[in-house]
Amino acid sequence: MAPSTSGSGQSSPAADTITAASRGSRAPTSGRVERLLRTQLRGALDGTIPECTGSIVTGPWCLDQDGRATGLSAAALLDQTLATSIRAAAPELSTMVTTELQLNFLVPPPSDGTVLEAWTRSGFVDTRGGVAFGALRGPDAREYVHAVGWFQAVHSAPTGALDYFHRMGALPLGPTSDVSLDKLLGLRSLASKAADGGPADSDGFVKGPDLPMIDEFLNRNGTVHGGVITMMAGLAAKAAMPDSDSFDLQSLRLVFLRPATGPITSRARIRHPGRSLRIVDVELFSGHTTPGNPTSHAPGAESREENDQPTKSKPIAQAQAILRPAH
């Protein structure tokens, strides 16, 4: 459930340039992920009421590998701003990790430079963490994505992780950053399309896209940004379908099982291949124990033939995507 629309929630992006100091809390600092996706993070005054805690400028990065508009591009923004509301409600929870993120995609977003705002609030907070609710809104208060995030308190970040995060955030943007979301993330080896026709109901997983370079996508804790993992899972779900350009994401639920500290690979299976509804399961792995990833070997790692066998390693995240026919 997202916060209800109120009169204060309908302000234009230009009118909502309130500084962090005037809001009563310090705005979170941005890293490379936020820069690439043209997001701005803001502080929160209360955390228990709907507040504008960030924004994203739309562009080519709001298109998926099929050239279709996708709300996935806002995953990093919503992941961060949901946590902002938790911290505002409970300042003692200074360091947290996302354990679950649920995104419901209502309407495909624009990609023409329109500024969309994240409005978030905490729903429940205790000493272990909490849950927050949010929505991505346009300047006319139209809602594009609803979000729910669960967060858990952890120890402080490793020494040097925050400095590296800031250095990555200071890198300049260039022409290569004005591209679709899959290219912006540097995903490769997108799952090849199957034979013509609808997908077969699959009992097994097929290989999905890889994310070989993760240095720019590390968060303040020195692990891969939860928003990047979420976006990769959504793109992997679409890539598993032979007719993916005829479907849009309806919802995506991601459970984060353990931190990712190395290259990430994915695999997916189509659980339900209906005409009006598709259900796709996705698993993501990190490190040299991922399935079918020739770039992930380390000294002493198993051979390529062994690595191509069904994985015995544990996934870093599991997701379920539901897709519906595109308009």
Side-chain angles (χ1 to χ4, degrees):
M1 179 183 296
S4 59
T5 303
S6 63
S8 60
Q10 299 179 27
S11 60
S12 66
D16 194 15
T17 55
I18 304 173
T19 64
S22 68
R23 298 179 70 87
S25 68
R26 183 171 57 87
T29 54
S30 296
R32 184 62 171 169
V33 175
E34 290 75 25
R35 288 289 308 282
L36 287 171
L37 290 163
R38 281 66 166 184
T39 62
Q40 177 185 358
L41 303 177
R42 303 170 186 170
L45 180 63
D46 187 309
T48 63
I49 60 175
E51 298 181 74
C52 179
T53 47
S55 61
I56 179 173
V57 180
T58 62
W61 45 92
C62 296
L63 303 177
D64 64 19
Q65 65 265 41
D66 295 314
R68 294 195 57 78
T70 176
L72 272 176
S73 55
L77 170 65
L78 291 166
D79 181 43
Q80 289 276 49
T81 53
L82 290 168
T84 293
S85 289
I86 295 287
R87 293 190 184 96
E92 67 275 12
L93 299 175
S94 59
T95 306
M96 298 182 296
V97 295
T98 313
T99 57
E100 181 180 345
L101 187 62
Q102 167 84 37
L103 301 176
N104 293 319
F105 304 98
L106 310 181
V107 182
S111 57
D112 58 0
T114 300
V115 177
L116 306 180
E117 297 177 337
W119 285 76
T120 60
R121 67 172 177 87
S122 64
F124 167 78
V125 178
D126 63 16
T127 57
R128 297 168 296 175
V131 61
F133 307 99
L136 186 71
R137 299 176 179 168
D140 58 354
R142 186 180 194 184
E143 297 188 339
Y144 292 89
V145 183
H146 284 180
V148 180
W150 279 93
F151 301 87
Q152 190 173 97
V154 295
H155 297 297
S156 300
T159 303
L162 186 58
D163 288 341
Y164 188 81
F165 173 81
H166 288 154
R167 289 202 302 273
M168 291 296 101
L171 293 175
L173 299 178
T176 57
S177 64
D178 293 333
V179 292
S180 59
L181 184 59
D182 58 306
K183 294 182 176 65
L184 190 70
L185 297 179
L187 297 184
R188 68 177 192 182
S189 304
L190 284 169
S192 58
K193 303 300 182 183
D196 292 340
D201 192 2
S202 173
D203 291 330
F205 286 88
V206 296
K207 191 180 185 314
D210 298 337
L211 181 63
M213 301 298 293
I214 55 91
D215 289 353
E216 293 186 7
F217 301 141
L218 298 181
N219 59 24
R220 297 172 182 80
N221 299 324
T223 60
V224 180
H225 197 301
V228 170
I229 294 173
T230 303
M231 291 182 284
M232 183 177 177
L235 294 174
K238 284 209 71 180
M241 302 192 309
D243 52 354
S244 60
D245 58 348
S246 299
F247 281 78
D248 289 327
L249 281 167
Q250 175 175 297
S251 66
L252 178 67
R253 176 178 178 264
L254 203 80
V255 179
F256 299 89
L257 304 174
R258 52 188 51 81
T261 56
I264 300 176
T265 59
S266 65
R267 62 180 190 174
R269 65 178 176 183
I270 301 171
R271 180 177 292 277
H272 177 70
R275 295 182 179 179
S276 60
L277 194 70
R278 299 280 172 82
I279 302 176
V280 182
D281 294 332
V282 179
E283 291 185 340
L284 296 100
F285 299 80
S286 176
H288 72 273
T289 56
T290 53
N293 181 12
T295 67
S296 61
H297 286 286
E302 61 270 39
S303 68
R304 173 64 190 273
E305 290 75 16
E306 291 170 336
N307 204 33
D308 279 337
Q309 298 301 314
T311 181
K312 295 181 180 179
S313 63
K314 296 179 179 179
I316 61 162
Q318 293 178 321
Q320 184 175 84
I322 298 178
L323 302 98
R324 59 179 178 173
H327 293 295

